Amino acid sequence: MSEIAICGAGKIGRAFIAHIFARNGYSITFIDVDQRLIELLNQYRQYTVTTLYADGSRKNYMIQSVQGLLANDPEALELLSRVNLVVTSVGGGALPKVARMLAQAAQLRAQRGNAPFDCILAENMRDSRVLMERCLKKEGLQDREMPGLISASVGKTAPDLKPAADENPLVVFGDSYNTLTVARFGWRNPPPTCPELQLVENIEAYMDRKIFIHNLAHVSFAYLGFQKDPAVGSLRAAMKIAEVTAQTQRIMQAVIGMLASRWPQEFSKADLHSYCKGALQRMSNPALQDTIFRVGRDIARKLGREERIVGALLLVQQEDMPVEDLIVLYCAALQFRAVDEQGNMFPLDREFHAHLQAEGIEYALNKVSQLNKNNYEKQLAQNIAMHYTSG
């Protein structure tokens, strides 16, 4: 049986990555910093992935023979030095820490005369491969030791649903999407032959499609929905607000035009409209019970320069297409203060609003979104600031 190490035992790691590889005969070891999560994985050695369908039906798949290792456990380094395939699903902020561990494993493999491993970066970041390579080189890794770094587009939705009292506490929920789109090139070993893996020539195009359609529409409903009605709790309820839906559709039209112009060899407008329609249908699945809190939280990350809103703004502007609705969306993000079931704002969002209040909108525009690279961007930032202060 082939082995795979998954760095990150969160919802996507368990509901999506492990689900794909377990179905294809891999043994799964999770590596994480959450001690309680690792203890549960080693206690139960299995958990359920529950697929939620729009008609209310469910389908369960048991992930068996799993185990967990803490990131600082020497056994984790030994595992990474032995397996041929690693997947990260930790978020961009944690990649430098993961890189330290991967660099040590790669060096250990080289010392033993073993070929480099491959690492799928399931991070939904446009620059994840560049960031990881930079981090690995900073750790002293040489080109001959460098693992294959494979960017990936993650389309799975895994909402924050809690297991029932009598369920395995590791159970995770998700929609029915189970395709992991990865780069065809860059592998140091033969790619896995899993049918759920879609290998594509131009992963950047597919990353842009995912981030600027699926991810952008997601936060558009969350931020505009909260702005229109702070009492709206669910994503599905926000999607039913006519003004919010109309504005999101206008944003999607601009983005589809931009993507068709930017990647004409990969997508036609018809292709992109079809993808957008499917994404919206999946978002509206009532069984997911997705909340605007989950979708919109972590404002600073979602207003990053390479992220969904600002990245789309810059690219749509480059194509001389209307950006007014994206500017409105940016300002709505600045006003997002949704809370969880206990009435608590996401901790990083509390920090964001504290900085915003103390430093003004320049904090968001310059420090978070970095809209200061040239005069064109500075003018865009001024337009955003004018709309924000006039609103």
Side-chain angles (χ1 to χ4, degrees), residues 1-2 4 6 14 16-28 47 49 61-66 194 196:
M1 179 180 287
S2 299
I4 183 173
I6 301 177
R14 300 203 311 278
F16 187 40
I17 307 302
H19 189 194
I20 288 174
F21 286 97
R23 292 174 67 157
N24 287 277
Y26 283 76
S27 66
I28 311 291
Y47 64 89
V49 176
Y61 187 90
M62 183 66 72
I63 310 295
Q64 296 179 313
S65 301
V66 299
C194 307
E196 297 87 353

Side-chain angles (χ1 to χ4, degrees), residues 23 52 176 192 216 223-224 237:
R23 292 174 67 157
L52 305 170
S176 58
L216 180 59
Y223 294 152
L224 295 174

Side-chain angles (χ1 to χ4, degrees), residues 215-231:
N215 292 14
L216 180 59
H218 235 177
V219 296
S220 181
F221 286 117
Y223 294 152
L224 295 174
F226 182 83
Q227 183 184 57
K228 187 69 176 175
D229 179 7

Side-chain angles (χ1 to χ4, degrees), residues 89-309:
S89 180
V90 296
L95 280 183
K97 295 180 180 178
V98 173
R100 185 171 299 118
M101 183 169 53
L102 294 182
Q104 292 172 351
Q107 290 166 341
L108 187 57
R109 290 174 73 96
Q111 291 170 11
R112 294 172 176 174
N114 296 329
F117 58 87
D118 289 303
C119 180
I120 298 174
L121 302 165
E123 305 295 344
N124 266 347
M125 292 174 58
R126 299 176 75 209
D127 58 352
S128 61
R129 187 184 187 282
V130 174
L131 174 60
M132 178 58 84
E133 185 173 23
R134 186 185 304 131
C135 291
L136 289 171
K137 287 186 175 180
K138 189 175 180 180
E139 295 295 331
L141 209 60
Q142 303 299 311
D143 288 341
R144 62 182 175 79
E145 302 167 329
M146 190 69 64
L149 300 177
I150 314 301
S151 296
S153 174
V154 177
K156 185 80 168 181
T157 296
D160 288 335
L161 297 180
K162 293 180 173 59
D166 59 345
E167 283 186 302
N168 181 323
L170 291 165
V171 64
V172 280
F173 304 86
D175 65 5
S176 58
Y177 189 87
N178 279 317
T179 298
L180 180 62
T181 304
V182 299
R184 183 180 299 278
F185 302 107
W187 297 83
R188 303 298 296 268
N189 303 283
T193 56
C194 307
E196 297 87 353
L197 243 59
Q198 178 189 20
L199 277 70
V200 298
E201 305 289 327
N202 191 340
I203 189 62
E204 289 82 5
Y206 287 83
M207 291 292 294
D208 279 1
R209 185 183 69 169
K210 169 61 169 58
I211 292 169
F212 298 136
I213 292 183
H214 190 282
N215 292 14
L216 180 59
H218 235 177
V219 296
S220 181
F221 286 117
Y223 294 152
L224 295 174
F226 182 83
Q227 183 184 57
K228 187 69 176 175
D229 179 7
V232 69
S234 72
L235 186 71
R236 193 161 184 262
M239 295 178 74
K240 291 182 178 181
I241 301 174
E243 185 177 337
V244 171
T245 297
Q247 189 160 354
T248 300
Q249 288 175 340
R250 291 196 301 269
I251 290 171
M252 290 297 99
Q253 288 296 326
V255 167
I256 284 171
M258 175 271 290
L259 291 173
S261 176
R262 182 174 170 81
W263 304 113
Q265 300 302 314
E266 282 75 22
F267 311 123
S268 67
K269 283 190 176 181
D271 295 331
L272 294 166
H273 277 290
S274 177
Y275 177 85
C276 184
K277 181 180 179 181
L280 296 177
Q281 287 175 339
R282 288 169 50 213
M283 287 178 209
S284 66
N285 181 348
L288 295 176
Q289 302 176 46
D290 217 352
T291 66
I292 62 167
F293 170 77
R294 187 196 77 83
V295 174
R297 68 190 176 194
D298 204 355
I299 304 165
R301 178 175 67 83
K302 289 169 181 172
L303 288 180
R305 182 179 174 85
E306 294 293 323
E307 264 284 350
R308 57 207 80 184
I309 297 175

